[in-house]
Amino acid sequence: AQSVTQLDSQVPVFEEAPVELRCNYSSSVSVYLFWYVQYPNQGLQLLLKYLSGSTLVKGINGFEAEFNKSQTSFHLRKPSVHISDTAEYFCAVTAILTGGGNKLTFGTGTQLKVEL
Amino acid sequence: EPEVTQTPSHQVTQMGQEVILRCVPISNHLYFYWYRQILGQKVEFLVSFYNNEISEKSEIFDDQFSVERPDGSNFTLKIRSTKLEDSAMYFCAIRDRGSQPQHFGDGTRLSIL
C-alpha cells in the first residue's frame, strides 16, 4: 500500500515570492508521482508528473518538482507566485504495477494562499 | 477541453434514495475510476473499472455502491440507498492503457438531506 504525507495544510505567501509545497510518500514498490491543483469549486487539474528519467520535472503555470528517491519526497516549487496560484494542491502517487488498476493515493492537500 | 464530462454537476437527494452519477469520456478509454472528496478532506479512491469489470475497490465501496458501463460509453456510479455521510464531491477519472496520468472530470457535488 502507498501513503502520501503533505505536512503543510496551509501555506500563506506574498505575491512574487517563491514557494515550496512539501510531499513525502511511502511505498513498498516503485511509484509514479503527480501534483494536482484544485481551484475553488472545480475539479482536479494535473500540474506535473514524474514517471521516469530526469528527477526535475516541469509542469504548467511555472511549477516544477523534484523527485528524491532516497528521501521519498516530491516537493513542488515555484520561484515567483501569482495571486491566481491560490488553490488547493494535492500530491498523489500510484504504484507501478503491470495489469493493475493503478489507483491514485492522495495526500491531504496544501492550501496555497497568495497575498498582495 | 476536458477529456471527461460528469453529470449532473450538483445532485440533491433525500436520504435513502438512489442516485446515479454519470461520467462521459470524450473518446474511448480503457480504465475508469471513481473517487470522492468529503468537504475539507482528501480525495479518496473508490473503485477502478477495466474491461467491463471492477479491477480494484476500496473499503468505502461497499454493497450500496455499484458501477457499470451500460452502453459502452457512459460510466456510472450508483448509490442504492444514500446516507448523510455520502455527501461529497464525486470525481470520475479516465486513463488509457500504458499511459499516465489519470484525467479527472469536474466532479458531481452530491448533497444528501
Side-chain angles (χ1 to χ4, degrees):
Chain A
Q2 292 74 48
S3 66
V4 178
T5 302
Q6 292 181 249
L7 287 173
D8 305 306
S9 59
Q10 291 186 13
V11 173
V13 61
F14 288 108
E15 194 174 34
E16 297 184 3
V19 70
E20 179 179 81
L21 306 184
R22 296 180 293 169
C23 172
N24 289 86
Y25 70 93
S26 173
S27 177
S28 57
V29 300
S30 296
V31 296
Y32 296 135
L33 299 120
F34 309 88
W35 276 97
Y36 285 87
V37 59
Q38 185 179 34
Y39 298 101
N41 300 313
Q42 293 189 26
L44 296 164
Q45 181 183 3
L46 180 73
L47 266 183
L48 47 77
K49 63 185 178 186
Y50 174 78
L51 304 183
S52 65
S54 173
T55 56
L56 182 64
V57 292
K58 296 188 183 298
I60 62 172
N61 301 340
F63 283 93
E64 63 180 32
E66 185 155 21
F67 170 55
N68 188 319
K69 188 173 183 180
S70 62
Q71 296 187 6
T72 60
S73 67
F74 191 54
H75 301 331
L76 180 71
R77 294 191 287 261
K78 186 170 182 177
S80 176
V81 297
H82 189 266
I83 285 285
S84 59
D85 293 323
T86 295
E88 186 92 17
Y89 291 80
F90 291 95
C91 181
V93 303
T94 186
I96 303 174
L97 300 170
T98 56
N102 297 113
K103 68 179 181 183
L104 283 170
T105 299
F106 286 85
T108 50
T110 297
Q111 177 66 42
L112 176 64
K113 186 174 181 181
V114 182
E115 303 167 350
L116 291 172
Chain B
E1 184 178 351
E3 295 190 33
V4 56
T5 301
Q6 291 186 240
T7 59
S9 58
H10 192 189
Q11 174 81 46
V12 181
T13 302
Q14 291 289 330
M15 187 172 59
Q17 297 296 305
E18 173 183 286
V19 295
I20 297 176
L21 311 181
R22 290 184 172 79
C23 172
V24 183
I26 299 295
S27 57
N28 203 21
H29 299 274
L30 285 177
Y31 290 93
F32 297 84
Y33 306 82
W34 283 103
Y35 294 82
R36 80 172 184 189
Q37 183 183 29
I38 295 172
L39 186 63
Q41 299 185 24
K42 69 177 179 180
V43 179
E44 301 173 289
F45 167 76
L46 291 178
V47 65
S48 60
F49 190 84
Y50 166 70
N51 202 23
N52 288 321
E53 61 182 26
I54 291 174
S55 55
E56 187 177 2
K57 59 183 181 180
S58 71
E59 293 177 351
I60 303 168
F61 195 87
D62 61 22
D63 291 345
Q64 72 162 346
F65 291 91
S66 62
V67 290
E68 63 176 358
R69 288 189 76 194
D71 55 7
S73 64
N74 292 332
F75 178 52
T76 63
L77 174 69
K78 181 191 291 186
I79 309 175
R80 266 181 272 279
S81 179
T82 51
K83 297 178 279 196
L84 293 175
E85 54 264 39
D86 293 327
S87 294
M89 187 75 115
Y90 288 80
F91 292 106
C92 172
I94 56 173
R95 182 175 71 84
D96 290 325
R97 183 176 185 176
S99 77
Q100 294 285 348
Q102 296 176 25
H103 296 275
F104 285 78
D106 285 339
T108 293
R109 181 168 299 284
L110 178 62
S111 300
I112 306 301
L113 305 179

